[in-house]
Amino acid sequence: MKSNNLQNSTLESGSQLLFMPFTNTDSSVVMATVRSGPRFDPIGKEGLSHFTEHVFFRGTRKHPSRTRLAEVLEERGAQAEAFSYHETNKYWVKCAKEDITFAVENLVERIYTSLVKKEDIEAEKGVVKEEKEVLFSNPERLIWEIWNQTLWGGEALGRVYLGSEKSIDSFTRDDVSDFIKNYYVPENIVYFVGGDINFEKVSEKIDSLSLKSALKQGLSSQKGQSFQSTKGQNINIFKNNSKDITIALGFRTVSQGHDFKEVLELISAFLGGGMSSKLRQKIMEPGYTYSIEATTENLSDTGYLVVHFTTSKNLLKKVLDIIYLTILSLTKKPLNGSELDLAKGFYIGQLKINIETPLDWAFYYSDQAIYNPGKITTLEEKVDKINKIDPDIILSISKEYFRKENFYLAAIGDIEEKDIINFS
């Protein structure tokens, strides 16, 4: 599938609609990405964005119970999913291609006509609290919350996306209704539809439902907040009695639309992408850890590159020393040709094999569109950018971002700050 088949239009309602035709699949998907994620939680109501996502599975005007809302999809073999992430909430329905119009109706109904019943609000509090318990009992999940706190400090991005016991208990029907009114507005929503389907028919359906529902709901036109980035704390340790130490370390980098985005993605592939990546060679082969990976994340105005691993306490300093020296080497001399070719080949190949289905394409394009509607990069354009990266630009960008004052480390385990070697 060539991604330059993408069609991009602005609906009369103000929403953006992305459409990709697929001619050789019986499955279709409709996704709504809403600029309303945990970063937009009101002060004192932390977790409200994620909580609102849960409420959208509790019933709509047309299907007023949780069970019935699920049944009308499942009797067709369709499935609805959702999640909250930093600045967005995503909702999608995957279905057979002949059911796409029904799936669109079901998705838009959730966004604009969820009932937000008081009894459902109270019931869902227990569900979210249980989810919070699971989060804090799993170091592999919890490390990302500690990482966010480390990187962003006291600003909105540094708060636990589930909220606190106090904030969850404080949620009311009015809180959820107001959050929907402020953020679930057409101009804050990007729709993606993919499949062997009629674009005009689906476009008209989304637009008519959005306009009708938004007017009936009386929604506001608030587009969201702007934020000032504040400094985090360079080292942050969550102490427990685990014999293993879980670490996330890295650097603040660039936003979704920044010209350096692909360069930093390539660096992360070099450091901890495939089994032949530099850190996996140096750390996994000697048996210092079971797994280590490097990844990047890019938001509307910022981003990061992070290395994540778990190891034993007695090996921690050895592993950290290897990571520090490997990262610092990127600031001292250019990668050689074979290293760069390997990283490029791996990363480009991974892009291609991991973006195949309509749902894969929905994820690839939706975040780009929500952050930079006028600067969407097709897969072909992205591959071309990666192929043009040379050793000198990697060296230059490494020097710019891999600095001591821009270094952050989050840890979970039975350690003290003295157990962690300083980045220098």
Side-chain angles (χ1 to χ4, degrees):
M1 169 56 65
K2 296 294 185 182
S3 64
N4 54 17
N5 290 334
L6 180 76
Q7 299 178 40
N8 186 359
S9 59
T10 300
L11 301 174
E12 185 181 349
S13 64
S15 293
Q16 191 177 174
L17 173 61
L18 309 177
F19 172 74
M20 280 191 72
F22 289 77
T23 56
N24 297 310
T25 179
D26 289 327
S27 70
S28 295
V29 68
V30 55
M31 175 182 285
T33 300
V34 189
R35 190 168 170 78
S36 61
R39 191 176 189 179
F40 299 96
D41 289 339
I43 294 174
K45 298 291 180 178
E46 293 79 11
L48 185 58
S49 170
H50 171 260
F51 191 84
T52 300
E53 172 218 304
H54 277 238
V55 172
F56 281 3
F57 285 78
R58 281 284 182 171
T60 64
R61 291 184 192 137
K62 189 174 181 179
H63 308 293
S65 71
R66 184 189 190 101
T67 300
R68 186 55 191 155
L69 189 58
E71 284 177 346
V72 295
L73 288 174
E74 291 172 1
E75 65 191 14
R76 298 167 183 258
Q79 59 189 78
E81 300 287 348
F83 75 89
S84 302
Y85 193 69
H86 287 314
E87 296 176 303
T88 58
N89 297 111
K90 286 186 185 295
Y91 306 86
W92 67 94
V93 178
K94 186 177 180 181
C95 63
K97 63 182 180 181
E98 60 268 22
D99 292 324
I100 189 63
T101 300
F102 174 80
V104 166
E105 290 176 352
N106 186 280
L107 185 67
V108 177
E109 283 168 12
R110 291 170 189 264
I111 291 172
Y112 288 117
T113 69
S114 284
L115 294 177
V116 194
K117 294 181 288 188
K118 183 177 179 179
E119 57 267 32
D120 287 340
I121 298 293
E122 295 308 310
E124 207 61 38
K125 290 179 182 180
V127 175
V128 174
K129 287 180 182 179
E130 180 63 27
E131 186 177 349
K132 194 167 184 288
E133 287 292 322
V134 172
L135 170 68
F136 275 82
S137 66
N138 183 348
E140 288 297 310
R141 287 187 58 190
L142 181 60
I143 189 62
W144 300 113
E145 300 306 313
I146 308 304
W147 167 249
N148 288 333
Q149 292 172 13
T150 308
L151 196 62
W152 313 118
E155 68 171 281
L157 285 170
R159 301 179 299 197
V160 177
Y161 78 99
L162 292 170
S164 64
E165 291 276 333
K166 182 179 179 181
S167 66
I168 295 168
D169 284 333
S170 76
F171 296 156
T172 65
R173 183 181 185 276
D174 286 344
D175 289 332
V176 176
S177 296
D178 287 345
F179 191 84
I180 295 170
K181 182 178 180 180
N182 285 332
Y183 296 104
Y184 283 75
V185 295
E187 57 265 41
N188 262 4
I189 302 174
V190 170
Y191 293 99
F192 179 98
V193 180
D196 186 6
I197 52 183
N198 185 296
F199 169 68
E200 287 74 18
K201 185 176 181 180
V202 171
S203 174
E204 290 173 5
K205 176 62 71 174
I206 292 177
D207 216 14
S208 63
L209 288 171
S210 298
L211 284 168
K212 180 181 177 182
S213 300
L215 288 171
K216 189 170 184 179
Q217 192 85 351
L219 299 180
S220 76
S221 59
Q222 182 171 334
K223 288 190 176 182
Q225 308 173 44
S226 59
F227 298 89
Q228 296 294 320
S229 289
T230 58
K231 184 175 174 58
Q233 49 187 325
N234 290 84
I235 294 177
N236 187 14
I237 298 172
F238 183 89
K239 287 185 66 66
N240 64 16
N241 295 322
S242 173
K243 65 178 181 179
D244 292 324
I245 311 299
T246 303
I247 299 283
L249 63 90
F251 310 84
R252 286 196 186 195
T253 58
V254 300
S255 65
Q256 175 71 230
H258 200 284
D259 290 339
F260 294 165
K261 178 175 180 287
E262 281 76 20
V263 181
L264 288 155
E265 289 173 343
L266 186 60
I267 291 172
S268 75
F270 166 78
L271 288 172
M275 293 301 294
S276 63
S277 61
K278 188 61 67 175
L279 290 179
R280 291 193 176 190
Q281 288 182 46
K282 292 184 174 182
I283 294 171
M284 289 181 64
E285 285 189 16
Y288 300 150
T289 181
Y290 172 74
S291 176
I292 185 168
E293 63 178 356
T295 57
T296 61
E297 185 63 54
N298 308 97
L299 305 177
S300 62
D301 57 353
T302 188
Y304 59 78
L305 183 150
V306 61
V307 176
H308 162 247
F309 66 95
T310 298
T311 192
S312 61
K313 184 174 180 179
N314 65 308
L315 289 172
L316 179 60
K317 286 189 177 182
K318 182 185 293 290
V319 173
L320 286 173
D321 192 41
I322 293 171
I323 294 172
Y324 295 154
L325 291 173
T326 302
I327 292 174
L328 283 171
S329 71
L330 293 171
T331 71
K332 303 298 183 184
K333 63 179 182 179
L335 294 183
N336 64 47
S338 61
E339 289 175 327
L340 185 56
D341 288 344
L342 177 61
K344 285 182 179 181
F346 172 80
Y347 193 54
I348 291 171
Q350 286 290 295
L351 280 172
K352 291 179 177 179
I353 67 175
N354 288 319
I355 307 179
E356 298 181 302
T357 69
L359 185 58
D360 295 333
W361 286 108
F363 277 99
Y364 178 76
Y365 276 122
S366 293
D367 280 340
Q368 291 191 62
I370 203 78
Y371 293 135
N372 298 286
K375 196 177 179 181
I376 292 178
T377 302
T378 68
L379 182 60
E380 292 76 21
E381 290 168 339
K382 189 177 185 73
V383 169
D384 186 55
K385 285 183 177 183
I386 294 168
N387 277 325
K388 290 178 179 177
I389 296 171
D390 62 39
D392 289 337
I393 189 65
I394 291 178
L395 177 64
S396 175
I397 290 174
S398 296
K399 288 180 177 180
E400 181 170 350
Y401 292 100
F402 302 158
R403 295 174 285 108
K404 180 179 180 180
E405 58 270 27
N406 188 39
F407 173 76
Y408 299 87
L409 186 148
I412 298 175
D414 184 18
I415 57 171
E416 307 290 340
E417 188 167 327
K418 64 180 175 62
D419 296 315
I420 298 171
I421 303 170
N422 287 327
F423 184 83
S424 61

